[in-house]
Amino acid sequence: LSDDGVIFISIDDNEAANLKLVCDEIFGEENFITTICHKSRASISNDKIISENHNFILLYARRMDFVFNKRFEFGLSPDLTGFDMEDERGFYKYAPVDGPGGAAKGNPYYTFEGVSGYWRFSKDRMQQMFEDGLVVKVGSGLQQKNYLEKARNSRKTDTTWWDFKYYTSTATAKLKDLIGMDAFSNPKHVGLVKRMMELWVRGEQDIVLDFFAGSGTTMQAVMELNLEDGGNRQCICVQIPEKLEESTEAWKAGYRTIADITRARIDKVIEKLKSEQPEKTQDLAYAQFTLTPSHFKQWRSDVDAHALREQLEIF
């Protein structure tokens, strides 16, 4: 990772606690940013005591000081619509000045400029903002000016991604439509990966690395997001040639490894994007590289997996 790099790791309940400990050792506890919880399924499993419908995403920084210093850049882009009024300070729109939650949130109650209510600010602060032209009378009420320049630097972040329907079942169906078969079990939702990248990966030369590429969701997310916001992100996907089961639809269709499915998906995505937006995708392409044989026995085809397990048990 670069000094301002971050890593998102998706995990379910089974290994989340162990993963946190491992990451604390690798990256350092001080570089832990947060754990994001997202809704991964809408259905309910009746064979569970409590039906799990979420996954976690652990987020770590390479160097917390670099990320913290740029924290106002971290998050989703704010809504910048409606700033159609202008004064000497710039473009603005009105925002409430009465306090959300009223008395329940302990907002001060008083009368100001003939208007009574629970306000976001103390009476002294309200008076100063009024004199500075930041709070104005609008009709029979009061409003504060929310300036575009300030809104640009107010990015949205939270840890509960619950209402976006990043369901695994939806991702599975879309992949089936793209490739034409049930080629991969439980792929990530493209929207979920886009949301991860939108938090931080916005630079012209940013590189996204997915070293468990699976079906190639990350590559698709990068290509689509670049088209949506004009970005120039690059992506590296790594997938070992793990053999498919001979009983699967993918095997019967001629695929032999997970890496074959990864490449097929990327090809299909590029073909789809080129047909939909030919003027923006003239240079859209990817290069494929194959690594030399690995020294790791479990990925060598000349080593029997059962014999390897027996050898490990001896030690």
Side-chain angles (χ1 to χ4, degrees), residues 67-228:
V67 175
F68 187 80
N69 288 337
K70 297 168 70 175
R71 63 191 179 280
F72 296 115
E73 300 176 28
F74 209 111
L76 298 182
S77 299
D79 180 7
L80 299 179
T81 59
F83 290 87
D84 51 7
M85 293 179 283
E86 186 179 14
D87 62 16
E88 67 280 0
R89 295 185 180 92
F91 287 97
Y92 68 91
K93 66 180 178 180
Y94 289 133
V97 72
D98 54 324
K105 290 289 184 70
N107 298 95
Y109 182 90
Y110 55 86
T111 300
F112 188 84
E113 292 294 307
V115 183
S116 299
Y118 292 95
W119 306 107
R120 294 171 184 253
F121 312 107
S122 67
K123 196 167 187 177
D124 289 342
R125 173 84 183 280
M126 184 82 94
Q127 182 64 46
Q128 187 62 56
M129 292 177 69
F130 185 79
E131 292 174 4
D132 291 341
L134 300 176
V135 170
V136 294
K137 195 84 176 284
V138 179
S140 59
L142 295 170
Q143 295 284 325
Q144 62 173 315
K145 293 181 178 180
N146 182 21
Y147 285 91
L148 177 60
E149 194 58 37
K150 181 180 178 182
R152 288 188 202 278
N153 298 320
S154 177
R155 309 195 71 84
K156 297 179 180 178
T157 56
D158 57 51
T159 58
T160 50
W161 298 358
W162 212 248
D163 301 319
F164 302 95
K165 298 185 178 179
Y166 298 142
Y167 301 148
T168 303
S169 58
T170 305
T172 302
K174 288 187 175 182
L175 180 58
K176 182 178 179 179
D177 289 341
L178 187 66
I179 296 183
M181 70 181 75
D182 270 324
F184 198 89
S185 300
N186 302 319
K188 294 287 184 297
H189 196 288
V190 174
L192 176 65
V193 181
K194 280 186 187 177
R195 188 176 173 92
M196 293 181 206
M197 289 189 290
E198 286 174 325
L199 289 178
W200 191 236
V201 188
R202 290 183 298 276
E204 281 296 302
Q205 300 301 323
D206 281 349
I207 298 175
V208 178
L209 170 65
D210 185 344
F211 46 87
F212 285 92
S215 69
T217 302
T218 299
M219 184 74 81
Q220 179 174 348
V222 169
M223 291 189 289
E224 289 186 1
L225 193 57
N226 280 343
L227 288 176
E228 290 171 12

